[in-house]
Amino acid sequence: PPIYSTADTLVIVTKNNKKYCLIITRKSKIGNLQFAIPGGYIEQYETARQAAIRELYEETNLNLGEYTSRILSEHFYLADSPGRSARGRIISNVFAFNLGHVEKFPMTKVSDETYYLQWMPLDSFIHASDECRSQFFEDHWMIINHFAKNAFY
């Protein structure tokens, strides 16, 4: 069976001394109405990082290029557990961008791939209930939790 490569983007901001991450509600045949981080398949002509930034823009209208000077840190995580996706063997390159302190959340807009966008408190992932975890697409809750525990505290 083929192995697919995807790229996902976790965007973190700090508002009122609290960290938040951007979450989408998927509009898709697979994982419809589930929470996820923006992402998708890597195109033949692009790097994983380019794909992550492109998918972020396509799904949320958030142009990371406008925030280049604000990026405090960038972290990477490879989600490659063999059973992580019911769709087959999918390896995801996850990029997390910390945009630092904001007075108001960056402007976002739903797309034809998303029903809803929201900024969720990052610390809520550390002690989330099983019910909350089950609302996330595949292993996305676990990916966010990894960053919440390791990369930004």
Side-chain angles (χ1 to χ4, degrees), residues 60-135:
T60 69
N61 204 44
L62 179 59
N63 183 352
L64 203 57
E66 295 175 8
Y67 293 89
T68 302
S69 64
R70 294 189 54 121
I71 297 174
L72 295 181
S73 61
E74 179 178 335
H75 299 271
F76 177 78
Y77 175 73
L78 187 66
D80 64 348
S81 175
R84 68 174 292 266
S85 178
R87 299 171 289 165
R89 183 73 166 108
I90 297 178
I91 297 172
S92 186
N93 301 269
V94 185
F95 295 85
F97 298 95
N98 183 346
L99 303 184
H101 178 76
V102 296
E103 294 294 321
K104 56 184 179 176
F105 293 118
M107 293 292 293
T108 58
K109 185 171 77 172
V110 296
S111 71
D112 60 348
E113 299 178 43
T114 57
Y115 285 111
Y116 188 69
L117 309 170
Q118 61 186 313
W119 292 94
M120 294 181 77
L122 194 59
D123 61 5
S124 66
F125 291 91
I126 295 173
H127 304 292
S129 66
D130 288 340
E131 181 181 342
C132 178
R133 294 175 193 178
S134 68
Q135 294 177 37

Side-chain angles (χ1 to χ4, degrees), residues 22-28 30-38 59-60 110-118 120 135-137:
L22 181 59
I23 301 296
I24 66 169
T25 302
R26 290 174 55 93
K27 185 190 291 187
S28 176
I30 300 170
N32 192 47
L33 294 172
Q34 287 189 296
F35 296 135
I37 54 178
E59 295 181 7
T60 69
V110 296
S111 71
D112 60 348
E113 299 178 43
T114 57
Y115 285 111
Y116 188 69
L117 309 170
Q118 61 186 313
M120 294 181 77
Q135 294 177 37
F136 279 83
F137 180 63

